[in-house]
Amino acid sequence: MPNMKFSHFLSDKSPLYQPQKYLSKPWVYLTTIQLFTCGLLMAIPKVATAQVNRKSFIICSRDLLSVGLSEREVANACSAALKPKDLSKCVTKIYDNTTEELSAEEILLNCQKVRRVDELGTCVERINKSVQDTSNQETILESCRISLLPESFSSCVIGLNANLGLSTEELLTTCLNPNQEKTELSGD
C-alpha cells in the first residue's frame, strides 16, 4: 500500500488543491448540463401516454350507442376505458364485420378484456374477410382475444388459408398453438 498521508491531500500537488485546472475542461461543463437536464426531467410530472379528452368520450359514447348498447353500459364502458376511442373502434369494427351471432354486449366484453384493444378489431375483421367459413364468429373473436399479438395471429391465419385446405377451426388452433401436435391417447 502506498504511503498516503492526510497532509498530502492538502498540498500543492493534490488535484483538490487546484480546482481551476479541472473545471476548465469542457467535459465538466457537458456533465453538469446533462445532470441538470436529468434533474429537470425527473422533477417534471410524467405526461400520460394516452391523451384522453372530451372528444374521445363523445366518440366512444356515440359509437357504442350506435351498435345497440344501453346508455348505462355505454357510460360504464367509456368511463372505465384507458383509451375510450380505441374501445369504441374495436367494438364497431367487430360489430360491422360479423353476423348476428355475436351480441354487442359480448363484443364489448371481449374488447374490454384484451390488452391490445386496437388490434382485436383488426384481427377479427381481417380473418372474417379472408376465410370462407365464418360460421363460428365466437371462436374467431375468442381466438383473436386470447392471442398475445392479434395482428400477427390474423396474418398467420390469412397466410395459411391462402395455400392450405384447412378449416377455419384448424387454422385458428394451429396459429394459436403452432408447436402443439394433436395426439390420440389409446385407452389400453
Side-chain angles (χ1 to χ4, degrees):
M1 184 154 171
N3 186 9
M4 297 187 76
K5 297 179 184 173
F6 183 71
S7 61
H8 176 68
F9 286 107
L10 299 176
S11 71
D12 293 350
K13 296 178 182 174
S14 169
L16 298 175
Y17 189 74
Q18 299 172 342
Q20 304 86 334
K21 179 179 175 183
Y22 293 98
L23 289 178
S24 64
K25 307 282 184 191
W27 64 267
V28 173
Y29 293 114
L30 290 174
T31 305
T32 306
I33 291 171
Q34 289 175 345
L35 288 173
F36 179 73
T37 306
C38 289
L40 279 178
L41 289 176
M42 288 191 298
I44 297 172
K46 290 185 179 179
V47 178
T49 56
Q51 293 289 331
V52 180
N53 55 26
R54 182 177 31 167
K55 188 175 181 182
S56 297
F57 290 102
I58 292 170
I59 292 169
C60 179
S61 59
R62 181 194 63 214
D63 290 349
L64 294 183
L65 285 171
S66 72
V67 297
L69 293 168
S70 71
E71 289 183 358
R72 191 75 195 139
E73 289 172 321
V74 170
N76 288 335
C78 290
S79 65
L82 181 61
K83 296 179 180 178
K85 199 162 119 177
D86 288 348
L87 176 69
S88 67
K89 188 176 174 183
C90 173
V91 172
T92 54
K93 259 188 183 180
I94 295 171
Y95 187 81
D96 292 341
N97 290 292
T98 57
T99 59
E100 291 78 32
E101 181 182 333
L102 296 173
S103 66
E105 291 83 7
E106 187 177 354
I107 295 170
L108 174 62
L109 184 64
N110 279 285
C111 286
Q112 288 174 320
K113 286 182 181 179
V114 76
R115 187 172 56 118
R116 295 175 182 252
V117 178
D118 51 340
E119 289 187 18
L120 177 64
T122 305
C123 177
V124 173
E125 177 186 37
R126 289 179 64 199
I127 290 174
N128 280 334
K129 286 183 177 180
S130 68
V131 297
Q132 302 296 335
D133 177 29
T134 58
S135 61
N136 196 350
Q137 299 287 321
E138 194 170 331
T139 306
I140 294 172
L141 176 60
E142 182 67 16
S143 297
C144 285
R145 187 187 67 77
I146 62 176
S147 171
L148 294 177
L149 299 169
E151 285 185 355
S152 295
F153 172 72
S154 66
S155 295
C156 174
V157 172
I158 294 165
L160 292 179
N161 185 49
N163 294 322
L164 303 177
L166 298 175
S167 70
T168 304
E169 304 284 332
E170 290 172 322
L171 289 169
L172 296 173
T173 304
T174 302
C175 289
L176 276 178
N177 303 311
N179 296 327
Q180 183 179 16
E181 293 183 23
K182 292 184 178 180
T183 58
E184 291 185 23
L185 300 174
S186 61
D188 295 334

